[in-house]
Amino acid sequence: MQTVGRFAPSPSGRIHLGNILCSLLAWLSARQKGGQVILRIEDLDTARCPRRYAQQMEEDLRWLGLDWDMGPGTNGPHESYYQSERTELYQMAREKLEEMGLVYPCFCTRGELHAASAPHRSDGQVLYAGTCRNLTAEEIAEKVKTRSPALRLRVPEETWGFTDGHMGDYAENLARDCGDFLLRRSDGMFAYQLAVVVDDAAMGVTEVVRGADLLDSTPRQLYLYHLLDLNPPSFYHVPLLLASDGRRLSKRDADAGLDDLRPRCRAEEILGKLAYLAGFNPSAEPRSAERLLSDFDWEKVPKKDIRMPSRLF
Ligand code: GLU
């Protein structure tokens, strides 16, 4: 089976070094197997992800030499490659889950969800308390008059696990560790968890390479693959790149963004240094993505988050 990898950035700002490292790893992992690469733009939140940011991201990825076979500008078979234009597919998946009786409307406000009494996961995230799980048809009819609901998926007391290609075994109990999760927000926006599963399956993706912050989303996604009768890809979760003080990089870190770096660095310098930090460039010498292929090996990539030195460029 031919490998189909992908990068799936959310264009809520200019691409930063963390996104670049992740895209580089996805590109190398697929290309090394002679596979194809898809670029999918995860712009479900159209207010935060205007098209001009997506276009800038596409341009930056091209400049970096991280090319794609299917995606914006390629006339690939899966038009569109922008999630904001694929809502019909998400709607179909939603209907299928509804027919299975697994979806219910949730009227909880942000305040209610984040109340101090709400149960929490071990990582501090709020676990849905199940407040709207068993509303009667009358209660729903009454509530709908004043508030449009979000939609949640009812999850069972089941443990879903997998072997990550990089991080090893990982499992969560859906009810205890995840809780009933959102499929659609109250403003009608489909949730990442649903969209990513529908798209990766529809686009024939066979391997997903993405940040370790999404490791704990994977059991939920595997459950969706199962319910929707779709084949899951293999997963590789990659360490996050941290700022020199240990904070997670964000699009606000000017020194880690291409706004600052592109005018004064070559693409090969950026990729060479990132690959060095990630263990598969023997020195910090500039190297193109193509030239990194020969040394790339998942075994060399650390499992722990990578802290950047203070003066990298
Ligand atoms: N759009 C997500 C991000 O930019 C990545 C989602 C994924 O790779 O599954 O973090």
Side-chain angles (χ1 to χ4, degrees), residues 37-56:
V37 176
I38 292 178
L39 171 63
R40 182 176 68 240
I41 302 292
E42 301 216 321
D43 61 347
L44 285 170
D45 191 341
T46 45
R48 288 185 60 227
C49 302
R51 190 53 64 92
R52 66 174 193 286
Y53 284 1
Q55 284 163 346
Q56 178 68 63

PDB file of all heavy atoms in Angstrom, residues 37-56:
ATOM      1  N   VAL A  37       2.323  13.209  -0.303  1.00  0.00           N
ATOM      2  CA  VAL A  37       2.042  14.147   0.784  1.00  0.00           C
ATOM      3  C   VAL A  37       0.828  15.002   0.412  1.00  0.00           C
ATOM      4  O   VAL A  37       0.700  15.455  -0.722  1.00  0.00           O
ATOM      5  CB  VAL A  37       3.267  15.060   1.058  1.00  0.00           C
ATOM      6  CG1 VAL A  37       2.943  16.102   2.111  1.00  0.00           C
ATOM      7  CG2 VAL A  37       4.472  14.230   1.504  1.00  0.00           C
ATOM      8  N   ILE A  38      -0.033  15.169   1.394  1.00  0.00           N
ATOM      9  CA  ILE A  38      -1.214  16.037   1.228  1.00  0.00           C
ATOM     10  C   ILE A  38      -1.024  17.263   2.117  1.00  0.00           C
ATOM     11  O   ILE A  38      -0.527  17.141   3.242  1.00  0.00           O
ATOM     12  CB  ILE A  38      -2.494  15.288   1.684  1.00  0.00           C
ATOM     13  CG1 ILE A  38      -2.795  14.127   0.729  1.00  0.00           C
ATOM     14  CG2 ILE A  38      -3.685  16.236   1.787  1.00  0.00           C
ATOM     15  CD1 ILE A  38      -4.003  13.296   1.126  1.00  0.00           C
ATOM     16  N   LEU A  39      -1.411  18.413   1.625  1.00  0.00           N
ATOM     17  CA  LEU A  39      -1.540  19.586   2.497  1.00  0.00           C
ATOM     18  C   LEU A  39      -3.023  19.869   2.658  1.00  0.00           C
ATOM     19  O   LEU A  39      -3.738  20.092   1.673  1.00  0.00           O
ATOM     20  CB  LEU A  39      -0.854  20.816   1.891  1.00  0.00           C
ATOM     21  CG  LEU A  39      -1.140  22.131   2.640  1.00  0.00           C
ATOM     22  CD1 LEU A  39      -0.611  22.113   4.068  1.00  0.00           C
ATOM     23  CD2 LEU A  39      -0.547  23.330   1.889  1.00  0.00           C
ATOM     24  N   ARG A  40      -3.479  19.804   3.891  1.00  0.00           N
ATOM     25  CA  ARG A  40      -4.883  20.150   4.171  1.00  0.00           C
ATOM     26  C   ARG A  40      -4.901  21.333   5.133  1.00  0.00           C
ATOM     27  O   ARG A  40      -4.175  21.321   6.135  1.00  0.00           O
ATOM     28  CB  ARG A  40      -5.609  18.961   4.800  1.00  0.00           C
ATOM     29  CG  ARG A  40      -7.071  19.283   5.058  1.00  0.00           C
ATOM     30  CD  ARG A  40      -7.849  18.097   5.581  1.00  0.00           C
ATOM     31  NE  ARG A  40      -7.445  17.699   6.908  1.00  0.00           N
ATOM     32  CZ  ARG A  40      -6.964  16.495   7.222  1.00  0.00           C
ATOM     33  NH1 ARG A  40      -6.816  15.568   6.315  1.00  0.00           N
ATOM     34  NH2 ARG A  40      -6.621  16.225   8.460  1.00  0.00           N
ATOM     35  N   ILE A  41      -5.678  22.307   4.814  1.00  0.00           N
ATOM     36  CA  ILE A  41      -5.733  23.513   5.633  1.00  0.00           C
ATOM     37  C   ILE A  41      -6.890  23.389   6.635  1.00  0.00           C
ATOM     38  O   ILE A  41      -8.053  23.297   6.242  1.00  0.00           O
ATOM     39  CB  ILE A  41      -5.928  24.769   4.737  1.00  0.00           C
ATOM     40  CG1 ILE A  41      -4.795  24.877   3.707  1.00  0.00           C
ATOM     41  CG2 ILE A  41      -6.043  26.018   5.579  1.00  0.00           C
ATOM     42  CD1 ILE A  41      -3.426  25.183   4.264  1.00  0.00           C
ATOM     43  N   GLU A  42      -6.549  23.383   7.918  1.00  0.00           N
ATOM     44  CA  GLU A  42      -7.577  23.168   8.950  1.00  0.00           C
ATOM     45  C   GLU A  42      -8.103  24.523   9.426  1.00  0.00           C
ATOM     46  O   GLU A  42      -7.715  25.041  10.478  1.00  0.00           O
ATOM     47  CB  GLU A  42      -7.002  22.310  10.075  1.00  0.00           C
ATOM     48  CG  GLU A  42      -6.536  20.958   9.517  1.00  0.00           C
ATOM     49  CD  GLU A  42      -6.730  19.762  10.424  1.00  0.00           C
ATOM     50  OE1 GLU A  42      -6.521  19.892  11.638  1.00  0.00           O
ATOM     51  OE2 GLU A  42      -7.070  18.674   9.898  1.00  0.00           O
ATOM     52  N   ASP A  43      -8.974  25.067   8.599  1.00  0.00           N
ATOM     53  CA  ASP A  43      -9.498  26.419   8.851  1.00  0.00           C
ATOM     54  C   ASP A  43     -10.982  26.387   9.225  1.00  0.00           C
ATOM     55  O   ASP A  43     -11.747  27.243   8.779  1.00  0.00           O
ATOM     56  CB  ASP A  43      -9.280  27.296   7.604  1.00  0.00           C
ATOM     57  CG  ASP A  43     -10.012  26.739   6.384  1.00  0.00           C
ATOM     58  OD1 ASP A  43     -10.466  25.582   6.441  1.00  0.00           O
ATOM     59  OD2 ASP A  43     -10.138  27.459   5.379  1.00  0.00           O
ATOM     60  N   LEU A  44     -11.358  25.377  10.032  1.00  0.00           N
ATOM     61  CA  LEU A  44     -12.759  25.300  10.459  1.00  0.00           C
ATOM     62  C   LEU A  44     -13.198  26.594  11.123  1.00  0.00           C
ATOM     63  O   LEU A  44     -14.311  27.057  10.935  1.00  0.00           O
ATOM     64  CB  LEU A  44     -12.919  24.166  11.482  1.00  0.00           C
ATOM     65  CG  LEU A  44     -12.886  22.749  10.940  1.00  0.00           C
ATOM     66  CD1 LEU A  44     -12.806  21.762  12.087  1.00  0.00           C
ATOM     67  CD2 LEU A  44     -14.105  22.487  10.081  1.00  0.00           C
ATOM     68  N   ASP A  45     -12.285  27.159  11.907  1.00  0.00           N
ATOM     69  CA  ASP A  45     -12.602  28.410  12.600  1.00  0.00           C
ATOM     70  C   ASP A  45     -12.260  29.568  11.661  1.00  0.00           C
ATOM     71  O   ASP A  45     -11.173  30.139  11.712  1.00  0.00           O
ATOM     72  CB  ASP A  45     -11.763  28.466  13.887  1.00  0.00           C
ATOM     73  CG  ASP A  45     -12.218  29.578  14.798  1.00  0.00           C
ATOM     74  OD1 ASP A  45     -12.907  30.504  14.302  1.00  0.00           O
ATOM     75  OD2 ASP A  45     -11.878  29.533  15.995  1.00  0.00           O
ATOM     76  N   THR A  46     -13.203  29.873  10.784  1.00  0.00           N
ATOM     77  CA  THR A  46     -12.893  30.839   9.712  1.00  0.00           C
ATOM     78  C   THR A  46     -12.600  32.236  10.254  1.00  0.00           C
ATOM     79  O   THR A  46     -11.880  33.002   9.622  1.00  0.00           O
ATOM     80  CB  THR A  46     -14.040  30.919   8.689  1.00  0.00           C
ATOM     81  OG1 THR A  46     -15.266  30.994   9.401  1.00  0.00           O
ATOM     82  CG2 THR A  46     -14.062  29.716   7.770  1.00  0.00           C
ATOM     83  N   ALA A  47     -13.138  32.543  11.437  1.00  0.00           N
ATOM     84  CA  ALA A  47     -12.860  33.876  11.999  1.00  0.00           C
ATOM     85  C   ALA A  47     -11.383  33.982  12.385  1.00  0.00           C
ATOM     86  O   ALA A  47     -10.743  35.015  12.176  1.00  0.00           O
ATOM     87  CB  ALA A  47     -13.752  34.129  13.205  1.00  0.00           C
ATOM     88  N   ARG A  48     -10.839  32.902  12.928  1.00  0.00           N
ATOM     89  CA  ARG A  48      -9.428  32.934  13.364  1.00  0.00           C
ATOM     90  C   ARG A  48      -8.473  32.576  12.228  1.00  0.00           C
ATOM     91  O   ARG A  48      -7.261  32.826  12.333  1.00  0.00           O
ATOM     92  CB  ARG A  48      -9.219  31.960  14.534  1.00  0.00           C
ATOM     93  CG  ARG A  48      -9.841  32.462  15.829  1.00  0.00           C
ATOM     94  CD  ARG A  48      -9.514  31.538  16.988  1.00  0.00           C
ATOM     95  NE  ARG A  48      -8.077  31.422  17.211  1.00  0.00           N
ATOM     96  CZ  ARG A  48      -7.435  30.277  17.399  1.00  0.00           C
ATOM     97  NH1 ARG A  48      -8.092  29.137  17.375  1.00  0.00           N
ATOM     98  NH2 ARG A  48      -6.140  30.250  17.611  1.00  0.00           N
ATOM     99  N   CYS A  49      -8.992  31.952  11.187  1.00  0.00           N
ATOM    100  CA  CYS A  49      -8.131  31.460  10.103  1.00  0.00           C
ATOM    101  C   CYS A  49      -8.542  32.046   8.752  1.00  0.00           C
ATOM    102  O   CYS A  49      -9.068  31.329   7.890  1.00  0.00           O
ATOM    103  CB  CYS A  49      -8.199  29.940  10.022  1.00  0.00           C
ATOM    104  SG  CYS A  49      -7.734  29.080  11.519  1.00  0.00           S
ATOM    105  N   PRO A  50      -8.340  33.332   8.550  1.00  0.00           N
ATOM    106  CA  PRO A  50      -8.731  33.918   7.264  1.00  0.00           C
ATOM    107  C   PRO A  50      -7.893  33.352   6.116  1.00  0.00           C
ATOM    108  O   PRO A  50      -6.776  32.877   6.334  1.00  0.00           O
ATOM    109  CB  PRO A  50      -8.459  35.413   7.446  1.00  0.00           C
ATOM    110  CG  PRO A  50      -7.482  35.503   8.570  1.00  0.00           C
ATOM    111  CD  PRO A  50      -7.696  34.304   9.437  1.00  0.00           C
ATOM    112  N   ARG A  51      -8.440  33.378   4.918  1.00  0.00           N
ATOM    113  CA  ARG A  51      -7.782  32.761   3.773  1.00  0.00           C
ATOM    114  C   ARG A  51      -6.393  33.336   3.518  1.00  0.00           C
ATOM    115  O   ARG A  51      -5.490  32.641   3.081  1.00  0.00           O
ATOM    116  CB  ARG A  51      -8.688  32.894   2.540  1.00  0.00           C
ATOM    117  CG  ARG A  51      -8.264  32.093   1.324  1.00  0.00           C
ATOM    118  CD  ARG A  51      -8.041  30.619   1.609  1.00  0.00           C
ATOM    119  NE  ARG A  51      -9.213  29.873   2.026  1.00  0.00           N
ATOM    120  CZ  ARG A  51     -10.027  29.226   1.218  1.00  0.00           C
ATOM    121  NH1 ARG A  51      -9.826  29.243  -0.078  1.00  0.00           N
ATOM    122  NH2 ARG A  51     -11.052  28.556   1.689  1.00  0.00           N
ATOM    123  N   ARG A  52      -6.196  34.596   3.829  1.00  0.00           N
ATOM    124  CA  ARG A  52      -4.869  35.174   3.541  1.00  0.00           C
ATOM    125  C   ARG A  52      -3.783  34.521   4.410  1.00  0.00           C
ATOM    126  O   ARG A  52      -2.640  34.380   3.987  1.00  0.00           O
ATOM    127  CB  ARG A  52      -4.871  36.699   3.683  1.00  0.00           C
ATOM    128  CG  ARG A  52      -5.083  37.234   5.050  1.00  0.00           C
ATOM    129  CD  ARG A  52      -4.918  38.769   5.104  1.00  0.00           C
ATOM    130  NE  ARG A  52      -4.824  39.222   6.466  1.00  0.00           N
ATOM    131  CZ  ARG A  52      -5.855  39.286   7.317  1.00  0.00           C
ATOM    132  NH1 ARG A  52      -7.066  38.923   6.918  1.00  0.00           N
ATOM    133  NH2 ARG A  52      -5.686  39.690   8.560  1.00  0.00           N
ATOM    134  N   TYR A  53      -4.133  34.084   5.621  1.00  0.00           N
ATOM    135  CA  TYR A  53      -3.139  33.385   6.454  1.00  0.00           C
ATOM    136  C   TYR A  53      -2.817  32.021   5.832  1.00  0.00           C
ATOM    137  O   TYR A  53      -1.680  31.557   5.858  1.00  0.00           O
ATOM    138  CB  TYR A  53      -3.666  33.150   7.869  1.00  0.00           C
ATOM    139  CG  TYR A  53      -3.675  34.364   8.772  1.00  0.00           C
ATOM    140  CD1 TYR A  53      -3.251  35.608   8.328  1.00  0.00           C
ATOM    141  CD2 TYR A  53      -4.104  34.259  10.093  1.00  0.00           C
ATOM    142  CE1 TYR A  53      -3.269  36.712   9.171  1.00  0.00           C
ATOM    143  CE2 TYR A  53      -4.133  35.349  10.945  1.00  0.00           C
ATOM    144  CZ  TYR A  53      -3.719  36.567  10.478  1.00  0.00           C
ATOM    145  OH  TYR A  53      -3.741  37.640  11.314  1.00  0.00           O
ATOM    146  N   ALA A  54      -3.853  31.359   5.315  1.00  0.00           N
ATOM    147  CA  ALA A  54      -3.636  30.043   4.693  1.00  0.00           C
ATOM    148  C   ALA A  54      -2.716  30.208   3.484  1.00  0.00           C
ATOM    149  O   ALA A  54      -1.777  29.426   3.291  1.00  0.00           O
ATOM    150  CB  ALA A  54      -4.967  29.429   4.287  1.00  0.00           C
ATOM    151  N   GLN A  55      -2.976  31.243   2.704  1.00  0.00           N
ATOM    152  CA  GLN A  55      -2.147  31.444   1.506  1.00  0.00           C
ATOM    153  C   GLN A  55      -0.698  31.746   1.877  1.00  0.00           C
ATOM    154  O   GLN A  55       0.237  31.264   1.247  1.00  0.00           O
ATOM    155  CB  GLN A  55      -2.749  32.567   0.656  1.00  0.00           C
ATOM    156  CG  GLN A  55      -3.978  32.065  -0.081  1.00  0.00           C
ATOM    157  CD  GLN A  55      -4.857  33.177  -0.605  1.00  0.00           C
ATOM    158  OE1 GLN A  55      -4.708  34.343  -0.219  1.00  0.00           O
ATOM    159  NE2 GLN A  55      -5.793  32.836  -1.485  1.00  0.00           N
ATOM    160  N   GLN A  56      -0.539  32.503   2.951  1.00  0.00           N
ATOM    161  CA  GLN A  56       0.826  32.791   3.424  1.00  0.00           C
ATOM    162  C   GLN A  56       1.513  31.492   3.875  1.00  0.00           C
ATOM    163  O   GLN A  56       2.691  31.247   3.596  1.00  0.00           O
ATOM    164  CB  GLN A  56       0.764  33.789   4.579  1.00  0.00           C
ATOM    165  CG  GLN A  56       2.116  34.138   5.187  1.00  0.00           C
ATOM    166  CD  GLN A  56       3.004  34.944   4.249  1.00  0.00           C
ATOM    167  OE1 GLN A  56       2.659  36.054   3.881  1.00  0.00           O
ATOM    168  NE2 GLN A  56       4.134  34.386   3.853  1.00  0.00           N
TER     169      GLN A  56
END
